[in-house]
Structures are given as C-alpha cells and as structure tokens.
C-alpha cells in the first residue's frame, strides 16, 4: 500500500457522510481500494455484503473483496475467516491460526476471542486464567485497526 492509497482513504474518512457527500466518499474509497488499501477494500466488501451506501447488494463481489483484503492482511478480514473456520468449517486448528494472525495484525475482536477461548478452554486452547487475562488486557489497551 502506498502513500497515495492512504491519502485517498483518509480523505474518504474525513468526509461528512450526509447524503450529498456519499458519492465523494465512495469515490475516494474506490480510488484507495484500486491502489490496494486493505481497509478500503474491506470496507467496500461490507458495503456490498449488506447493500449499504447506495450500493446494490452483491454477495459474490463482497466475498471477492474480503478475500483480497484477507490476502493484504486486513485484521478484520482475517478474523472473519477465523470465525468461518470455527463455525462453518469446524476446523479449530485453522481457526486458532487465523485468530493469532488477526490479533497480530491489530484485531481487537481477535484478542477478545482469544481471551474467551482461554477462559473457557475451548477449541483446543489451554484453560488458563493468566492467558485469558493477558489477551483481555491486550484488547483493552492496544492500538487497533477500526475498520
């Protein structure tokens, strides 16, 4: 991701999202996405998944965008694949690998999830109060990717 992608992404974030400004917001977001900005791509995947911001719902496109943002290490995209591994594919080993990857990339949700798994001893995680507390504190005090 380059400086120009970040500039377009930040420009999109700085737009007041009143109805008359949505086009400019989407324009900046799409430009950032074309320049491979992971958060811009992930955000667009959500808009297409739910048919938000005046975009028609397109689940196939939403999934393709989520895959691209995953490959670009967007923490929330990784986290969603971890959840898929746990609850759709029933592959706890893959789920744990992806949760660890997501939390290392800045996913607060992944840290909360790791805290829960260690507190309960679920999905092959060691039941450990100290690990649960460690992940909980990390989730409460760290710097995270918001979207």
């Amino acid at each position: 991701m380059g400086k120009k992608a970040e500039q377009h992404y930040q420009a999109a974030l700085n737009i007041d999202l009143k109805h008359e400004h949505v086009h400019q917001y989407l324009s900046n977001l799409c430009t950032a996405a074309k320049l491979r900005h992971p958060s811009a791509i992930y955000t667009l995947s959500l808009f297409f998944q739910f048919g938000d911001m005046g975009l028609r719902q397109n689940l196939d496109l939403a999934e393709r965008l989520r895959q691209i943002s995953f490959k670009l290490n967007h923490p929330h995209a990784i986290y969603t694949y971890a959840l898929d591994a746990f609850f759709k594919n029933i592959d706890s080993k893959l789920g744990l690998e992806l949760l660890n990857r997501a939390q290392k990339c800045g996913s607060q949700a992944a840290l909360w999830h790791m805290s829960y798994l260690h507190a309960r001893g679920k999905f092959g995680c060691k039941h450990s109060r100290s690990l649960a507390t460690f992940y909980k504190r990390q989730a409460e005090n760290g710097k995270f990717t918001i979207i």
Side-chain angles (χ1 to χ4, degrees), residues 13-33:
L13 294 181
N14 290 327
I15 292 174
D16 182 12
L17 284 179
K18 294 179 182 172
H19 179 71
E20 62 270 12
H21 299 137
V22 170
H23 176 74
Q24 186 60 43
Y25 170 76
L26 288 173
S27 176
N28 281 320
L29 201 62
C30 287
T31 301

CSV table of all heavy atoms in Angstrom, one decimal, residues 13-33:
chain,number,residue,atom,x,y,z
A,13,LEU,N,-12.4,9.1,4.9
A,13,LEU,CA,-12.8,9.1,6.3
A,13,LEU,C,-13.1,10.5,6.8
A,13,LEU,O,-13.9,10.7,7.7
A,13,LEU,CB,-11.6,8.6,7.1
A,13,LEU,CG,-11.3,7.1,7.0
A,13,LEU,CD1,-10.2,6.7,7.9
A,13,LEU,CD2,-12.5,6.2,7.2
A,14,ASN,N,-12.6,11.5,6.1
A,14,ASN,CA,-12.8,12.9,6.6
A,14,ASN,C,-14.0,13.6,6.0
A,14,ASN,O,-14.4,14.7,6.3
A,14,ASN,CB,-11.6,13.8,6.3
A,14,ASN,CG,-10.4,13.4,7.1
A,14,ASN,OD1,-10.6,13.0,8.3
A,14,ASN,ND2,-9.2,13.5,6.6
A,15,ILE,N,-14.8,12.8,5.2
A,15,ILE,CA,-16.0,13.4,4.6
A,15,ILE,C,-17.2,13.2,5.5
A,15,ILE,O,-17.4,12.1,6.0
A,15,ILE,CB,-16.2,12.7,3.2
A,15,ILE,CG1,-15.1,13.1,2.2
A,15,ILE,CG2,-17.6,13.0,2.7
A,15,ILE,CD1,-15.2,12.4,0.9
A,16,ASP,N,-17.9,14.2,5.7
A,16,ASP,CA,-19.2,14.2,6.4
A,16,ASP,C,-20.2,13.4,5.6
A,16,ASP,O,-20.5,13.8,4.5
A,16,ASP,CB,-19.7,15.6,6.7
A,16,ASP,CG,-20.9,15.6,7.5
A,16,ASP,OD1,-21.3,14.6,8.1
A,16,ASP,OD2,-21.6,16.7,7.6
A,17,LEU,N,-20.6,12.3,6.2
A,17,LEU,CA,-21.5,11.3,5.4
A,17,LEU,C,-22.9,11.7,5.3
A,17,LEU,O,-23.8,10.9,5.6
A,17,LEU,CB,-21.3,9.9,5.9
A,17,LEU,CG,-20.0,9.3,5.5
A,17,LEU,CD1,-19.9,7.9,6.1
A,17,LEU,CD2,-19.8,9.2,4.0
A,18,LYS,N,-23.2,12.9,4.9
A,18,LYS,CA,-24.6,13.3,4.6
A,18,LYS,C,-24.8,12.9,3.2
A,18,LYS,O,-23.9,12.6,2.4
A,18,LYS,CB,-24.7,14.9,4.7
A,18,LYS,CG,-24.5,15.4,6.1
A,18,LYS,CD,-24.7,16.9,6.2
A,18,LYS,CE,-24.5,17.3,7.6
A,18,LYS,NZ,-24.4,18.8,7.7
A,19,HIS,N,-26.1,12.7,2.9
A,19,HIS,CA,-26.5,12.2,1.6
A,19,HIS,C,-25.8,12.8,0.4
A,19,HIS,O,-25.3,12.1,-0.5
A,19,HIS,CB,-28.0,12.3,1.4
A,19,HIS,CG,-28.5,11.8,0.1
A,19,HIS,ND1,-28.5,10.4,-0.2
A,19,HIS,CD2,-28.9,12.4,-1.0
A,19,HIS,CE1,-28.9,10.2,-1.4
A,19,HIS,NE2,-29.2,11.4,-1.9
A,20,GLU,N,-25.6,14.1,0.4
A,20,GLU,CA,-25.0,14.8,-0.7
A,20,GLU,C,-23.5,14.5,-0.8
A,20,GLU,O,-22.9,14.8,-1.9
A,20,GLU,CB,-25.2,16.3,-0.7
A,20,GLU,CG,-24.7,17.0,0.5
A,20,GLU,CD,-25.6,17.1,1.7
A,20,GLU,OE1,-26.6,16.4,1.7
A,20,GLU,OE2,-25.3,17.9,2.6
A,21,HIS,N,-22.8,13.9,0.2
A,21,HIS,CA,-21.4,13.7,0.1
A,21,HIS,C,-21.0,12.2,-0.1
A,21,HIS,O,-19.9,11.9,-0.1
A,21,HIS,CB,-20.7,14.2,1.4
A,21,HIS,CG,-20.9,15.6,1.6
A,21,HIS,ND1,-21.2,16.2,2.8
A,21,HIS,CD2,-20.8,16.7,0.7
A,21,HIS,CE1,-21.3,17.5,2.7
A,21,HIS,NE2,-21.1,17.8,1.5
A,22,VAL,N,-22.0,11.3,-0.1
A,22,VAL,CA,-21.8,9.9,-0.3
A,22,VAL,C,-21.0,9.6,-1.5
A,22,VAL,O,-20.1,8.7,-1.5
A,22,VAL,CB,-23.1,9.1,-0.2
A,22,VAL,CG1,-22.8,7.6,-0.6
A,22,VAL,CG2,-23.7,9.2,1.2
A,23,HIS,N,-21.3,10.2,-2.6
A,23,HIS,CA,-20.6,10.0,-3.9
A,23,HIS,C,-19.1,10.3,-3.8
A,23,HIS,O,-18.3,9.5,-4.2
A,23,HIS,CB,-21.2,10.8,-5.0
A,23,HIS,CG,-20.5,10.6,-6.3
A,23,HIS,ND1,-20.6,9.5,-7.1
A,23,HIS,CD2,-19.6,11.5,-6.9
A,23,HIS,CE1,-19.8,9.6,-8.1
A,23,HIS,NE2,-19.2,10.8,-8.1
A,24,GLN,N,-18.8,11.4,-3.1
A,24,GLN,CA,-17.3,11.7,-2.9
A,24,GLN,C,-16.7,10.7,-2.0
A,24,GLN,O,-15.5,10.4,-2.2
A,24,GLN,CB,-17.2,13.2,-2.4
A,24,GLN,CG,-15.8,13.7,-2.3
A,24,GLN,CD,-15.1,13.7,-3.7
A,24,GLN,OE1,-15.6,14.1,-4.7
A,24,GLN,NE2,-13.9,13.2,-3.7
A,25,TYR,N,-17.4,10.3,-1.0
A,25,TYR,CA,-16.8,9.3,0.0
A,25,TYR,C,-16.5,8.0,-0.8
A,25,TYR,O,-15.4,7.5,-0.7
A,25,TYR,CB,-17.8,9.1,1.1
A,25,TYR,CG,-17.5,7.9,1.9
A,25,TYR,CD1,-16.5,8.0,2.9
A,25,TYR,CD2,-18.2,6.7,1.8
A,25,TYR,CE1,-16.2,6.9,3.7
A,25,TYR,CE2,-17.9,5.6,2.6
A,25,TYR,CZ,-16.9,5.7,3.6
A,25,TYR,OH,-16.6,4.7,4.4
A,26,LEU,N,-17.5,7.5,-1.6
A,26,LEU,CA,-17.3,6.3,-2.3
A,26,LEU,C,-16.2,6.4,-3.4
A,26,LEU,O,-15.4,5.5,-3.6
A,26,LEU,CB,-18.6,5.8,-3.0
A,26,LEU,CG,-19.6,5.3,-2.0
A,26,LEU,CD1,-20.9,5.0,-2.7
A,26,LEU,CD2,-19.1,4.0,-1.3
A,27,SER,N,-16.1,7.6,-4.0
A,27,SER,CA,-15.1,7.9,-5.0
A,27,SER,C,-13.7,7.7,-4.4
A,27,SER,O,-12.8,7.1,-4.9
A,27,SER,CB,-15.3,9.2,-5.6
A,27,SER,OG,-14.2,9.5,-6.5
A,28,ASN,N,-13.5,8.4,-3.2
A,28,ASN,CA,-12.2,8.3,-2.5
A,28,ASN,C,-11.9,6.9,-2.1
A,28,ASN,O,-10.8,6.4,-2.2
A,28,ASN,CB,-12.1,9.2,-1.3
A,28,ASN,CG,-11.8,10.7,-1.8
A,28,ASN,OD1,-11.0,10.9,-2.6
A,28,ASN,ND2,-12.5,11.6,-1.1
A,29,LEU,N,-12.9,6.2,-1.6
A,29,LEU,CA,-12.8,4.8,-1.1
A,29,LEU,C,-12.4,3.9,-2.2
A,29,LEU,O,-11.5,3.1,-2.1
A,29,LEU,CB,-14.1,4.4,-0.4
A,29,LEU,CG,-14.0,3.2,0.6
A,29,LEU,CD1,-13.1,3.6,1.8
A,29,LEU,CD2,-15.4,2.8,1.1
A,30,CYS,N,-13.1,4.0,-3.4
A,30,CYS,CA,-12.8,3.2,-4.5
A,30,CYS,C,-11.4,3.5,-5.1
A,30,CYS,O,-10.7,2.5,-5.4
A,30,CYS,CB,-13.8,3.4,-5.6
A,30,CYS,SG,-15.4,2.7,-5.2
A,31,THR,N,-11.0,4.7,-5.1
A,31,THR,CA,-9.6,5.0,-5.5
A,31,THR,C,-8.6,4.4,-4.6
A,31,THR,O,-7.6,3.8,-5.1
A,31,THR,CB,-9.4,6.5,-5.6
A,31,THR,OG1,-10.3,7.1,-6.5
A,31,THR,CG2,-8.0,6.9,-6.0
A,32,ALA,N,-8.8,4.5,-3.3
A,32,ALA,CA,-7.9,3.8,-2.3
A,32,ALA,C,-7.9,2.3,-2.5
A,32,ALA,O,-6.8,1.7,-2.5
A,32,ALA,CB,-8.3,4.2,-0.9
A,33,ALA,N,-9.1,1.8,-2.8
A,33,ALA,CA,-9.1,0.3,-3.0
A,33,ALA,C,-8.4,-0.1,-4.3
A,33,ALA,O,-7.7,-1.1,-4.3
A,33,ALA,CB,-10.6,-0.1,-3.1
